[in-house]
Amino acid sequence: MSKTPASPKGKPGPKSQPRKAAAKPEAGASPEGDRIAKVLSRAGVASRREAERMIAEGRVSVNGKKIDSPALNVTAADRISVDGQPLPEAEAPRMWLYYKPTGLVTSNSDEKGRKTIFDELPEDMPRVMTVGRLDLNSEGLLLLTNDGGIKRKLELPSTGWLRRYRVRINGRPKDEDFAPLRKGLVIEGEKFQPMTVSLDRQQGANAWLTVGLREGKNREIRRAMEDIGFTVNRLLRVSYGPFQLGDLKPGEVEELRPRVVRDQLGLEPEEETPAARPTRSRGGKPAGRPMGKPAGKPSGKAPGRPGKPAGKPADPRGGRPAQRGGGKGPGGKNPRR
């Protein structure tokens, strides 16, 4: 009877090797695609926050199934619908400069029934979102965009772009009265970052100031002035970072050139196509599209040359050259040219 030869003395026989397990995805690896709220925002449906509310209300479906959580990544292969309608293709990022008049609320709707800026924007405008806010009695430059990513980027405190205002207060202040604002205030437990304040001129019972800040807290300038004993009776924003109000009149809108938007925000280049002139006012001929739906192609018209803000009830320039360019913002020269 034959036997299997033994291994040489001192050397163990060969052992069978275990089969290698199939590779598994690394723990913590990011799923493909983008968050659903970001995709909805990019398509101009709503801001991210609004998109999350729409999802919670069951208004959004992915591949025929309603979703109730924004914690979902989607790709171009997914079929997305909102209120039963397919998601429109994302438009190229666009931005507009808007002179917000006083008496309008900066919101999509108002619980008190007051008019909003969206009630007064030109009818041929696509659906847009505001970058930050201006309160009811404030006026001047308000940035509009069709892209939720741009809105979020410009509103982040880390962006730190200087917002410059012409401010009229009642009283006869001295320059040293504004020292607390330059150092930074704490009002009712809320910390206000230091502001730049210059006393420009006295006009009768009022004084004109130029104020710069890098935050956007609710009624920040009015509250700060009240804290040091002065009342603001006119407030006009003249610049937001490199973007300037220029010669816009109350209620007018001008679109920025696509190249300006790309250069100022560091976006990837896209092929530009010729387009119609930008909308200037609500009184123009409607484009036949209701508010909230995409309109025509981006405008190729350069915004107008900067000048003094409109309105002569009390000259906000105060007899001095207008403050230009938002200080040393990232844009340098006027990006509207």
Side-chain angles (χ1 to χ4, degrees):
M1 186 175 177
S2 62
K3 295 183 179 180
T4 303
S7 298
K9 188 175 181 181
K11 294 183 180 181
K15 296 182 180 179
S16 58
Q17 298 296 321
R19 186 175 297 177
K20 290 184 178 181
K24 295 182 180 179
E26 293 183 11
S30 300
E32 293 184 359
D34 293 310
R35 283 295 176 105
I36 180 68
K38 179 180 179 180
V39 173
L40 294 175
S41 175
R42 181 67 182 83
V45 171
S47 68
R48 289 196 192 186
R49 187 172 298 177
E50 291 168 345
E52 289 174 357
R53 284 198 292 264
M54 295 168 70
I55 291 168
E57 293 168 359
R59 298 169 58 188
V60 180
S61 298
V62 177
N63 299 324
K65 182 180 180 181
K66 286 185 179 181
I67 60 173
D68 56 11
S69 170
L72 173 69
N73 278 39
V74 293
T75 67
D78 292 306
R79 292 177 292 106
I80 304 169
S81 62
V82 179
D83 295 331
Q85 300 298 318
L87 188 69
E89 291 187 9
E91 287 188 322
R94 300 167 69 184
M95 283 185 65
W96 292 261
L97 309 178
Y98 172 54
Y99 189 137
K100 176 201 170 294
T102 57
L104 297 180
V105 180
T106 309
S107 63
N108 291 315
S109 60
D110 182 63
E111 66 279 1
K112 298 180 180 179
R114 296 171 295 185
K115 279 191 174 182
T116 76
I117 65 164
F118 298 103
D119 295 324
E120 298 298 315
L121 287 176
E123 294 179 3
D124 59 348
M125 287 279 289
R127 186 199 178 281
V128 293
M129 296 165 275
T130 64
V131 177
R133 293 172 176 263
L134 284 173
D135 65 45
L136 181 71
N137 296 316
S138 298
E139 60 185 299
L141 180 63
L142 190 63
L143 301 180
L144 307 175
T145 180
N146 67 334
D147 188 283
I150 288 179
K151 170 182 168 69
R152 184 170 180 272
K153 182 174 184 177
L154 292 177
E155 290 178 343
L156 285 174
S158 58
T159 303
W161 272 348
L162 185 70
R163 301 97 186 259
R164 197 176 290 278
Y165 300 78
R166 296 287 288 136
V167 182
R168 189 178 68 191
I169 63 173
N170 183 253
R172 296 181 176 274
K174 297 179 180 179
D175 186 72
E176 53 266 29
D177 292 334
F178 305 111
L181 277 65
R182 295 171 180 138
K183 293 179 181 178
L185 296 172
V186 177
I187 301 175
E188 297 178 352
E190 187 174 11
K191 186 176 181 180
F192 287 18
Q193 295 298 322
M195 304 178 185
T196 61
V197 185
S198 63
L199 177 58
D200 298 332
R201 65 174 294 201
Q202 189 72 36
Q203 186 182 41
N206 298 311
W208 279 100
L209 319 172
T210 298
V211 178
L213 51 84
R214 298 182 185 275
E215 289 187 304
K217 292 182 178 178
N218 185 36
R219 302 180 70 253
E220 183 168 358
I221 293 177
R222 296 180 188 275
R223 293 167 63 194
M225 291 296 170
E226 288 172 3
D227 193 68
I228 61 171
F230 296 101
T231 301
V232 173
N233 52 37
R234 191 175 181 193
L235 191 150
L236 185 149
R237 183 195 278 163
V238 294
S239 67
Y240 191 114
F243 306 109
Q244 301 178 52
L245 182 65
D247 59 358
L248 282 179
K249 305 296 188 295
E252 286 188 344
V253 184
E254 281 189 357
E255 184 172 5
L256 291 167
R257 289 182 176 183
R259 179 174 295 177
V260 170
V261 177
R262 292 199 310 266
D263 291 348
Q264 294 299 326
L265 303 180
L267 305 178
E268 292 296 325
E270 294 183 16
E271 184 178 352
E272 294 186 27
T273 54
R277 293 165 62 88
T279 302
R280 290 285 300 186
S281 66
R282 184 174 175 81
K285 184 178 179 181
R289 291 177 181 265
M291 193 68 180
K293 294 187 179 180
K297 299 176 182 177
S299 167
K301 177 178 177 293
R305 190 172 63 186
K308 65 180 180 180
K312 293 186 178 180
D315 184 5
R317 289 165 60 91
R320 296 180 53 182
Q323 299 292 331
R324 307 302 302 261
K328 296 183 180 181
K333 295 184 179 180
N334 183 5
R336 297 174 64 205
R337 295 183 180 176

